Amino acid sequence: MTNTAASAIPTKRAFGPTLRALLRDPKVIIGGGFILVLIVLAIFAPWIAPHDPLEQDLMLGLYPPAWMQGAEPGYFLGTDDLGRDVLSRFIFGTRIALTVAFASAIIAAVVGTLVGLLAGYFGGWVDAVVSRLIEIWMAFPAVLLSILIVAILGSGVHSVIFAIAIIDWTRFARVVRAETQAQRNADYVTAGRVLGFNDFRILAGEILPNVLWTVLGLFTLELGLAVVIEAILSFVGLSVSSDTPTWGGMIAQGRTIIYQAWWVFALPLVGLFATVLAFNQLGEGLRRTLDPVMQR
């Protein structure tokens, strides 16, 4: 009985073959490579950016990018109406976008996964309470709720992170709850009970590893959503202070001068679109390679 039960418990995936499979997936390479470039830009922004993003010179206002007539040497992507370097502001804006994205996604993933595991495994009144809470929470429009939360807490990176996390934990909880309900009566869970595993060990050691790939896919998707929400909050002036470079703030500024200096508007918009696409492609590639359900 013991040998049979033990054989029913899934074994861990070998690291070497998994890494080689990931490196053969074009979505992982392209999406992950782009995100890696953004991370490098964010970490080493003070050394990579050609100018101080806050430095103003009205005499240099609205200079076009380097490939256009009338460009100013040293300002490869041009300047805004205050003479600030667009490329440097974009690079420093990457810091805010990725900081908010990763911090809020980690918090939402941890809270949502924990709540989903408990609701799906124990069922009963725990599942009923969590299900009703998720339904009520998801009835509110995410962007409007985030604006309300930040307006109450005040602007700042911490407020934005908290607002996004408190909104999007329900995405993880709902999916993990459904996955846990499907897994709790599986053979390997029954085998764990036969071996005398307690509920915590079954949840942490048996069910969680089998829903982790789903959580990973949701996590990468959440990163893209968090970047968009942060840009929206910056666009309406509810993120960080107005003098701090953000993609949403650059889009808001560029919108008012789009006919005179389209490059101020275009660069952060293209960067925002490419970042969300990269996160989505990376998530799909990771799930396709790592999720045993998708490999069947």
Side-chain angles (χ1 to χ4, degrees), residues 82-258:
L82 297 178
R84 297 173 297 189
D85 182 46
V86 172
L87 177 58
S88 298
R89 291 182 63 77
F90 176 82
I91 292 174
F92 273 86
T94 305
R95 279 186 158 186
I96 300 296
L98 294 188
T99 298
V100 170
F102 278 99
S104 60
I106 289 173
I107 295 173
V110 171
V111 173
T113 300
L114 177 61
V115 172
L117 283 172
L118 295 177
Y121 183 78
F122 291 106
W125 68 268
V126 177
D127 183 40
V129 170
V130 171
S131 298
R132 298 297 82 74
L133 180 61
I134 292 175
E135 290 174 1
I136 294 172
W137 209 250
M138 296 192 72
F140 295 97
V143 175
L144 293 180
L145 187 57
S146 64
I147 292 175
L148 177 62
I149 293 174
V150 174
I152 294 174
L153 297 178
S155 61
V157 174
H158 295 90
S159 298
V160 175
I161 291 172
F162 178 77
I164 297 175
I166 202 173
I167 291 169
D168 287 342
W169 69 269
T170 55
R171 303 178 190 273
F172 292 90
R174 184 176 61 172
V175 174
V176 172
R177 168 186 170 272
E179 289 287 335
T180 304
Q181 286 179 330
Q183 298 284 342
R184 67 182 179 185
N185 294 321
D187 291 341
Y188 71 89
V189 175
T190 303
R193 294 194 182 101
V194 171
L195 292 174
F197 293 173
N198 57 32
D199 291 334
F200 175 79
R201 185 171 179 181
I202 291 175
L203 279 171
E206 307 302 331
I207 296 180
L208 179 59
N210 284 278
V211 303
L212 196 59
W213 311 120
T214 301
V215 173
L216 183 61
L218 279 175
F219 180 77
T220 53
L221 179 61
E222 176 60 26
L223 289 171
L225 291 173
V227 170
V228 172
I229 295 177
E230 190 283 324
I232 293 173
L233 293 174
S234 298
F235 183 86
V236 299
L238 289 176
S239 182
V240 296
S241 60
S242 58
D243 60 338
T244 302
T246 60
W247 291 353
M250 293 179 67
I251 293 173
Q253 178 196 11
R255 181 179 61 90
T256 62
I257 55 173
I258 188 171

Side-chain angles (χ1 to χ4, degrees), residues 28-50:
V28 173
I29 296 299
I30 296 174
F34 185 84
I35 299 303
L36 182 61
V37 170
L38 290 181
I39 292 175
V40 171
L41 288 178
I43 294 175
F44 299 102
W47 297 274
I48 296 176

